[in-house]
Each structure stands twice: as structure tokens, then as C-alpha cells.
Amino acid sequence: MAFPHSLTLVSRVLMTPLRAPMERLIAAWVETRLVEPPPDALDLDPALPVLYVLPRPALSDTLLLASLTRAHGLPPAGGRRTVGSLTLPACLALPVPRRRPWRRATRPQAPFRALIEQRGRGLEGEVQLVPVSIFWGRAPGKRFGFWKMLSADSWRLTGRLRRALSVLVNGKSVEIHFGAPLRLGDLLVEADGPPDSAQTNRKAARLLRVHFRRLRTRVLGPDLSHRRTLIEGVAASPEVRRVIGELAADGRPSPARLERRALRYGREIASNMTYPVLRFMDGLLRRLWNRLYDGVEVRGLERVKALAGDHTLVYVPCHRSHIDYLLLSYVLYRDGLMPPHIAAGRNLDMPLIGPLLRRGGAFFLRRSFRDNRLYATVFNEYLHRLISRGHPLEYFIEGGRSRSGRMLPARPGMLAMTLRSFLRSAAGGTRRPLAFVPVYIGYERIIENASYQRELRGGRKRRESPLALMRVLGQLRQPFGRVAVNVGEPLVLADYLDETVGPRWRHGREERPEWLGDLVPRLGETLGRRINAAAALNPVNLVALVLLATPHHAIEASLLERQLALLAELQRRLPGGTHASLPEGEPAGWIDQAVGLGMVERRAHPLGDIVVADAARAALLGWYRNNVLHLFALAGLTAFAFRHQASHHPEALETLLAPAWPILTRELMVAPPASLQAGLAEMLALLGDLGLLEREGEHWRRRGEPLEAGECLDLLGQLMQPSLERGYLLLSVLLDAGTGRLTADELAGQSRQLAERLALLSGLDAPEFFDTRLFVSLVESLEREGWLWQEAGRLAFDDRLREAALQSRRLFDPALRHRLQLVTRRG
């Protein structure tokens, strides 16, 4: 049996006496940073022989694979394998084109034809082909030092000398990726009529090459051109040249001066991602996470890997901490995905930190550039080139970090620019699939605790500086618990446009169609809900949910355990988010974890321990509660309805909750059930199963016994009381003023003042309760639902709003209603 030249060369070396010592040397020198999937997870049929397939001939890859398969008990990749009547090397490689100076490059045939002919003659000779990709270092760009440039894996094929250098230089950073086994018999079944061995051979090779190319794109990303060349290309693009011409014609600076300014803007914006910095930051962050946190839990990354090979990925994480910038890139790099280019505020482009972030993939943008056409055009062109070339991106749709712990409404800027870039590529006929990847990042404790509380109380946001970073580093000795990175349901943009806009977007040639302005807020809301649907419950936010529902932020440890178990069971049986997660362990351990992090205090008592939080801790816990409050929106609202009215008919309950429910879902950014009626029916049945309610004919009622059931139901209902109180205050201000009397800003401002007054009179030290943005969002939600509209810049309404407000007041017990009325009247 004759094999291609490159295969024959490798097999000759492998059959020499040097094979065993070379394999031992490779095994001793190399450290595999990642093996994916784990070897024991490969779905191999033990009854069928296995042949491993490499994307190109490489002795180092073959030796390393042989060592790995032996160490993990896989079918050996060394030696030869008998398949039917054929004897083949256990490790094959796809051939590479042979280049000769005097002739065109030709691609030799793939080495499967003999196998295919044998398999086509009968049932014997079935074989499993397992594709294997091995990366010796990872090089996303070109500017990273002489030895790294020579040796790191990139898109260029490597010669023997460069491969030897790669083994020496990158032997401590090797990734191995196994593909799904491919059976030759499946290819023959798909063929029409008698199998053509030559055609099936080409088909097998094509399928494997597609797999290798997709995986290489996923791991290495597209080839990144030289930064200077990219910036010059942006400044010389037709769009930038057009704006320069228009500005020069208006009597602005000369074209030459505007061209220099465009280049300066490009250098200010563009990232400079380099391989040594990624490697350095990988090692640095690994040590940082090990010191700062007890672990980083990642869920749902398989949804990203399914898209990474042929989609441009835009990661849209929630923004809770400065750590977010580093954490997601670290997780992606660690798990074999290309780190994204990250949109960062220009305030982070400070001495020492800025250059490091820029080389790690950050590109910087100004807070606002609406009045600077040239800067806006340069930034749009730079972003378009990244997107059109398939580079993964990351930006925070909220704009800034959430000081209240809630998911903030999406800002339109980056989303609109991404949409326009996608439409521009589609109009040019070079459409590449684009997918948004929502990511929820959850902390048990954040490093910005103190600064967030100060800013919520009206303090000025301090400017970032290296000195401020040094102050943060001083906290590294404190415990910060665990971190969760949960990937939500990706949103494929083309499918979303088909669903919301229809097929007209595919035939348009406009970069800014008339429907774009309405679509961007809807897209932001959808992404916000998908981020929240992947929320991570942890011991701290679970304890915060319960403890802050008590009047004095103190609760018996036994009751706290029962309530924590109730919240966990609600999430298991009727999840508030499709990809939300629960912590490991039991409620008693969760309480100990919160105590160990210093978030609550456990006080011993002869009649049973009590868990308490002083005023300062309670204010901090509000941030963590708000991270996950949305997961219990329907459960909390349903329980609240039973606080002072013991019995409800399901239809009457739906009528009572219907006005408040859509406003609440928009405030909390939670995807509502398709039908409130069906959602309520499920929730009532679940609360009945959990012993909090009981059915009496067609009505649901509170249970009289045991008393613990009533306590648990009240604590659950208390979760939604702050949101309902804010709505009550705002409607009271609006109805007292009358239609057409207040602007949106005036209504939000007066409502905030009343909420602050209520908080002070109630002894509630929770600045997020009277956060102005919550009232602004509430006004916008009422407008979106059609309860309010603008007339001459002022808010107008009709009797429908008055009737809905009167109906919603029935949710409040008389004492609470009286307290709220006193606050509004005296205010």
C-alpha cells in the first residue's frame, strides 16, 4: 500500500528505534494547558478501530498525541492499525499542497481512498476517524517578538525548523482539541447510487478541512493585520474621506490637517492585541483569581463554541465591576476561545494600565462623540472593520457599571453601530453571520462595595487612576468568595431581524433604514432579559433576598434556612430564568458562607441562633439582592397579593395583578410568560405543592396552619414590596397633579423625593430605593404600555390610568396604604 509522501516520511520516522525516546522526551517537555473535550468524554465505539487525523503532517503532533492517548487510556495513536485487510498508521494527516518553483501548487489526495473502497465492497472495514487539532501557543496577531513570531501557532503553515522552535518555546502552553468521530460508513450511506471512492475521499477530506478551519478560527480568531496598517486603512476609507471633504468644504481645517486628526483618532481608539501580553495576563490573572476568589464557575460555554467557528461573536456581559473586563477574556482564553476586542471607556486609558489593556485587546472610546463627526466616522469605520473581518467583540450595553446591582437599560450607541455595520456588510454582499452572546457575571462579593454605596448616596464618582488601583490591590487579602460566569441564550442577528423586521432588511441597501431607531431599544431590552435569564444565585444574594425582607434585618437561623430552601425549590421547579443557576450545598452552608465573607453576622442565643445585618451591611446586601430579584418576580407578586387578602379566585387575581405585571417585568428586565393567566396558574399550583397556599373550591387561600407557612409566604411577598411602593408613590404624584401638568423629569424628581422621605421615616437605609433612574425607567414603562403619552412636552393620561391605579391599591394592606398616603400628602 503506497501512502502520500508526507505520510510516508512521518511513518518511517515513527518506525525507527528513535520513536520511543522521542515520545518520552515530548511527554516530559510538554504541558497541555487544555484538552477539549476531556478524553473520557469522547463518544468512541470500543468495537471499531480508531484512526486519528491531523490537519497537516507534523512529527511533534504525532508523538504528542501518542503520549496523550497512552496516558488517558484511549486507543493508541502510535504504531499501526489493522482495518479489514489494510494496515495503516494509527495517526494520519491531511496532505498539504506541494509547491514547486516550475509548476502550480497541487493538493495530493487524502489518504482515505483505500479505506473507502474496502468499506464499499462489504460490511467489513468500518473505522472511526477522530480529527485532532494541536496548538503550540496561540498567536492572534503579528507583533509579538522574534522568537514568538517564529514559533507560535498562527494561520500560516509551519516548516520543520519553525515547528522545532515551537516545541521548544511553547511546550508549556499546548492545547489539544478532539473533534467528533466520523464514520466512513455514514459518508457512503449519504452517497446517491454506487459509491464513488474518489468523490467520497474528497468529501471526507473536505468535511475534515471545514472542521479544522472552524476550530482554528474559534481558537485563533481571524488574522489581525498590523495595527499601523489598520489605522491607515481606516483613515483612508471612503467614508472617512467623504467626511473630511465635507468638513473642509464648510470652512473647517484643511484636508491635510483633518487627515492627521483622523490618524490621531485612530491611534487613540485602536487596540494593539499582542500574544505575549495575552500569555502574560493569562498567568497573572490565574494567580489573581486564585488569590482573590475561591473559584470561577463557568456555565454554558458550549453554546459559544457551537457558533465561534463561523459567526462573528459580540459578547454583551452585564457590567457590575471593573473585574468584568478581565474575567471574561481570561475565561475564554482558558477554555480555548479567542479573547475579544473590548470596548473600554477612555477614562481607563491611563498611564501603565491603558497600554496593558490595549495590548490585551481593549479599544477605547470617548463617553460622547455626537458633536464630533470625524471622530464618530473613524470609530464607526474601525468597528466595522473588526466586525466584517470576524473578530470577536465585547462591550457593555449598560454603558457603565451598575451601582444598584440591577441590570440597567441598554444604551443605544454600540448596538446601533453594530447593527449598521452588519447591514452595511449585507448590502455589500459579504454578510458574515453575527451573534450576540449574553453573559451574566455574578459575584459573592465585589471590590467596589464602598464606592457604590457612596455614589448612591450622592457622592461624586472618583476618577480612575493608578493610585486608585493601588488602593484596590490593598484589599486582596480579604475574602471575596466565588465568581460565576453564565452564558445565556445567544441571539443570531439575522434570525432576530427576520422575526422583528421581516425579509425587507435582506433587500435593503440603506445603512440606516427607517426601522432602525425603533429596533435598537427592542434589541437592547431583549439582550438585557437574556442576560438576566442566566443569573447565578449564590449564598450571598440568597441570604440578602431573605434578610432584607425582614423589618429589622434580623431573622432566626432556622427560619432563614427554611426560606432559603423555599427559594431554591422555587427556582428548581419553576425557574425565573431559562439558564439561571443555583449554588452547590445546602442552606446551612450558604449561611456559613455569607457569615465567612463578612456580609452578615450570626449571634448565638439560648433559644436559637439569630442572623443579623447592621445598617451598613444591610445597605451592601441590597446590591446583591438586586442582582437576582428578577428571578422571583412572579412568585413575589403572587405572594404579595395574599398578604392582607386571604383568598383569591384565579381570574380575580389575574385582574388585580394585570396592570402592575408588565411594568414590573420591564423594571426588573425579566422575560414574562406568554400568558399571565397560565403563569399564575402554574405559580399558584407550585405554592400549593410547597405548602404555602391551599385550594378551597375554585379559590386559593393562605394556610392557617402551620404558622411557618404564613411567615414564608410573607417573606416571599415582601420581595416585591419596594417596587410596588415606588409605583404607588409615582402614580399618587401624577394623579394629584392631574393630566398635562408635569413633565417626565418633574414627575421622576418629585417621586424620588417622596421615596427618600419614606425611606427616612421608615428607618430604611437603602439609597437604591430612591434611585432617580428607577423612577425615570418607571415613567418610560408607563409610556411604553400606553398609560401615559406626551402632549406639548407634558404627561397626559385618561381615566384608564386612574381606574388601574385604584385597582392596584387593593394590593396594599390598609396600614401600608395609610402610611404611603401620609407621605404623599405631607410631601
Side-chain angles (χ1 to χ4, degrees):
M1 177 71 193
F3 298 105
H5 171 73
S6 56
L7 259 178
T8 307
L9 178 62
V10 171
S11 42
R12 283 175 185 168
V13 173
L14 291 178
M15 289 186 286
T16 66
L18 294 176
R19 179 187 181 281
M22 290 176 67
E23 189 177 315
R24 287 194 294 270
L25 181 62
I26 284 284
W29 174 250
V30 171
E31 291 182 9
T32 52
R33 198 183 65 81
L34 176 68
V35 179
E36 187 185 70
D40 56 1
L42 286 175
D43 187 18
L44 296 175
D45 187 342
L48 296 178
V50 172
L51 297 180
Y52 299 94
V53 184
L54 297 171
R56 57 182 181 267
L59 177 60
S60 56
D61 291 356
T62 307
L63 295 172
L64 176 58
L65 184 58
S67 171
L68 182 78
T69 54
R70 183 186 306 105
H72 290 276
L74 291 173
R80 304 177 71 81
R81 187 86 70 251
T82 299
V83 182
S85 60
L86 299 174
T87 301
L88 305 172
C91 187
L92 304 174
L94 294 181
V96 297
R98 302 180 197 170
R99 288 177 169 81
R100 298 289 186 269
W102 57 87
R103 67 173 65 171
R104 293 178 58 188
T106 58
R107 185 182 294 277
Q109 289 188 0
F112 312 121
R113 186 165 182 175
L115 284 168
I116 294 168
E117 291 175 349
Q118 174 182 262
R119 184 72 179 84
R121 287 194 296 267
L123 298 178
E124 296 183 357
E126 180 62 287
V127 66
Q128 300 172 98
L129 302 177
V130 179
V132 184
S133 299
I134 300 178
F135 297 93
W136 299 79
R138 294 163 61 184
K142 295 182 180 178
R143 299 182 60 192
F144 42 84
F146 179 72
W147 293 108
K148 299 292 184 184
M149 180 181 69
L150 285 179
S151 60
D153 250 326
S154 65
W155 277 96
R156 300 180 62 182
L157 297 179
T158 57
R160 294 187 182 93
L161 176 58
R162 187 172 174 183
R163 173 59 64 170
L165 286 172
S166 183
V167 173
L168 291 173
V169 175
N170 296 302
K172 305 302 182 183
S173 181
V174 178
E175 294 183 13
I176 301 177
H177 296 259
F178 290 98
L182 173 68
R183 297 191 184 189
L184 285 183
D186 294 339
L187 298 176
L188 297 175
V189 169
E190 295 174 5
D192 296 329
D196 183 333
S197 60
Q199 181 180 359
T200 308
N201 187 44
R202 291 193 298 272
K203 181 178 181 180
R206 184 168 62 251
L207 288 174
L208 289 166
R209 286 194 180 95
V210 168
H211 164 80
F212 288 130
R213 183 168 61 250
R214 290 191 63 191
L215 185 64
R216 203 164 184 81
T217 300
R218 192 185 87 184
V219 174
L220 299 180
D223 188 19
L224 183 63
S225 64
H226 194 286
R227 179 173 183 262
R228 178 177 55 81
T229 305
L230 178 61
I231 293 171
E232 291 174 352
V234 167
S237 66
E239 284 294 310
V240 174
R241 300 292 300 173
R242 179 179 61 80
V243 171
I244 288 175
E246 291 175 359
L247 292 177
D250 291 341
R252 302 289 178 91
S254 66
R257 187 173 177 181
L258 289 170
E259 289 172 8
R260 291 194 296 271
R261 186 177 299 175
L263 287 169
R264 187 173 73 248
Y265 288 156
R267 289 189 290 270
E268 174 188 315
I269 294 166
S271 69
N272 190 22
M273 185 179 280
T274 58
Y275 180 64
V277 171
L278 289 179
R279 286 280 298 274
F280 166 75
M281 293 187 72
D282 175 54
L284 175 67
L285 293 177
R286 188 185 306 114
R287 294 178 179 87
L288 176 64
W289 304 143
N290 290 336
R291 174 150 190 160
L292 196 60
Y293 300 112
D294 295 333
V296 179
E297 299 173 349
V298 183
R299 302 178 183 89
L301 210 55
E302 66 278 357
R303 287 186 281 275
V304 180
K305 293 179 179 180
L307 297 172
D310 50 13
H311 285 70
T312 298
L313 299 181
V314 180
Y315 297 93
V316 283
C318 62
H319 199 12
R320 304 284 161 82
S321 170
H322 276 316
I323 297 295
D324 301 339
Y325 288 103
L326 306 173
L327 184 61
L328 183 57
S329 292
Y330 166 77
V331 165
L332 295 173
Y333 185 88
R334 184 194 68 181
D335 283 80
L337 288 163
M338 180 64 189
H341 292 257
I342 308 168
R346 193 184 175 193
N347 58 313
L348 293 177
D349 191 13
M350 53 184 137
L352 302 178
I353 307 302
L356 184 63
L357 293 178
R358 194 183 293 274
R359 285 170 174 78
F363 61 97
F364 296 98
L365 69 157
R366 299 179 180 182
R367 184 171 297 275
S368 176
F369 42 85
R370 182 177 299 175
D371 298 327
N372 190 334
R373 280 187 66 198
L374 182 58
Y375 181 91
T377 306
V378 170
F379 187 88
N380 272 283
E381 185 65 26
Y382 175 75
L383 187 70
H384 174 68
R385 296 201 172 206
L386 291 181
I387 292 173
S388 61
R389 296 178 184 183
H391 295 290
L393 298 178
E394 175 191 340
Y395 52 75
F396 303 101
I397 59 175
E398 299 166 276
R401 291 168 292 154
S402 173
R403 268 66 176 175
S404 66
R406 298 171 181 269
M407 185 74 196
L408 302 178
R411 295 190 176 181
M414 291 295 294
L415 287 176
M417 286 186 276
T418 303
L419 276 169
R420 291 201 301 267
S421 175
F422 179 76
L423 295 174
R424 177 178 166 186
S425 296
T430 57
R431 184 190 307 140
R432 176 183 171 88
L434 184 146
F436 289 97
V437 181
V439 182
Y440 178 93
I441 304 176
Y443 300 89
E444 290 184 349
R445 187 178 172 192
I446 57 168
I447 60 177
E448 294 98 337
N449 267 336
S451 64
Y452 285 176
Q453 292 301 307
R454 185 186 66 252
E455 291 169 26
L456 279 173
R457 286 186 169 87
R460 290 187 61 185
K461 178 179 178 294
R462 292 176 180 173
R463 185 176 181 181
E464 283 79 7
S465 67
L467 182 60
L469 177 65
M470 296 303 294
R471 285 197 295 265
V472 170
L473 293 177
Q475 305 179 31
L476 296 187
R477 295 182 181 275
Q478 303 177 22
F480 286 89
R482 301 180 69 83
V483 184
V485 179
N486 289 359
V487 177
E489 188 64 34
L491 185 148
V492 178
L493 185 54
D495 296 343
Y496 180 77
L497 292 177
D498 287 338
E499 179 183 342
T500 56
V501 180
R504 55 178 172 156
W505 76 270
R506 295 181 178 272
H507 309 297
R509 290 293 180 264
E510 298 178 358
E511 187 179 327
R512 302 190 185 194
E514 76 285 350
W515 45 262
L516 189 64
D518 294 331
L519 182 72
V520 171
R522 291 173 62 186
L523 175 61
E525 188 175 308
T526 301
L527 292 174
R529 288 177 170 178
R530 293 198 183 195
I531 293 171
N532 269 349
L537 287 163
N538 61 49
V540 172
N541 56 43
L542 279 166
V543 169
L545 284 168
V546 180
L547 198 59
L548 296 184
T550 61
H552 303 292
H553 307 144
I555 189 172
E556 295 173 336
S558 57
L559 178 57
L560 176 56
E561 286 188 34
R562 285 199 299 273
Q563 193 67 9
L564 291 174
L566 169 65
L567 295 179
E569 192 62 21
L570 281 169
Q571 180 59 32
R572 289 189 190 99
R573 296 176 61 176
L574 197 58
T578 51
H579 299 293
S581 62
L582 280 164
E584 298 179 353
E586 299 297 329
W590 301 343
I591 298 173
D592 291 341
Q593 175 73 354
V595 172
L597 291 172
M599 305 303 293
V600 295
E601 182 182 354
R602 186 171 190 143
R603 295 181 183 173
H605 192 275
L607 300 180
D609 290 358
I610 298 175
V611 178
V612 300
D614 57 26
R617 287 191 178 102
L620 292 177
L621 288 174
W623 190 92
Y624 298 92
R625 175 199 59 192
N626 292 341
N627 287 178
V628 294
L629 185 62
H630 60 279
L631 296 177
F632 302 95
L634 185 56
L637 184 61
T638 305
F640 189 83
F642 286 89
R643 285 195 54 175
H644 77 282
Q645 189 170 337
S647 176
H648 286 285
H649 188 280
E651 291 183 4
L653 182 62
E654 181 190 359
T655 303
L656 178 65
L657 300 182
W661 177 237
I663 308 299
L664 196 62
T665 58
R666 185 163 286 115
E667 177 189 325
L668 297 177
M669 285 198 195
V670 57
S675 162
L676 177 58
Q677 181 182 23
L680 274 175
E682 287 184 311
M683 183 57 65
L684 289 169
L686 178 55
L687 293 177
D689 289 345
L690 296 175
L692 303 188
L693 298 176
E694 59 185 359
R695 189 153 195 168
E696 189 177 73
E698 294 186 355
H699 287 68
W700 287 93
R701 59 176 292 115
R702 292 175 66 102
R703 295 193 61 176
E705 295 291 340
L707 294 178
E708 291 85 355
E711 287 183 296
C712 291
L713 187 67
D714 288 342
L715 286 172
L716 183 60
Q718 187 70 19
L719 295 177
M720 291 300 110
Q721 181 170 320
S723 295
L724 295 172
E725 285 182 349
R726 277 191 295 269
Y728 187 100
L729 291 173
L730 185 137
L731 289 178
S732 297
V733 172
L734 182 63
L735 294 175
D736 287 346
T739 182
R741 301 292 297 275
L742 295 174
T743 66
D745 289 341
E746 289 171 344
L747 176 59
Q750 291 185 29
S751 301
R752 182 208 173 276
Q753 292 174 357
L754 288 177
E756 185 176 9
R757 182 181 181 85
L758 176 63
L760 292 173
L761 291 173
S762 305
L764 180 65
D765 185 18
E768 63 90 16
F769 176 71
F770 45 87
D771 185 359
T772 303
R773 285 175 293 188
L774 293 176
F775 290 99
V776 171
S777 178
L778 186 53
V779 174
E780 293 174 351
S781 296
L782 289 169
E783 290 189 79
R784 289 277 297 273
E785 291 297 318
W787 298 105
L788 297 177
W789 58 89
Q790 299 273 351
E791 288 183 359
R794 299 187 178 274
L795 296 172
F797 57 90
D798 55 25
D799 289 339
R800 292 179 303 125
L801 180 65
R802 196 178 302 275
E803 293 171 2
L806 289 172
Q807 180 174 299
S808 296
R809 285 174 183 171
R810 293 169 47 210
L811 282 169
F812 297 94
D813 61 75
L816 179 57
R817 195 184 314 159
H818 179 67
R819 179 163 61 100
L820 293 172
Q821 287 173 347
L822 285 177
V823 171
T824 55
R825 288 172 184 172
R826 291 175 182 172

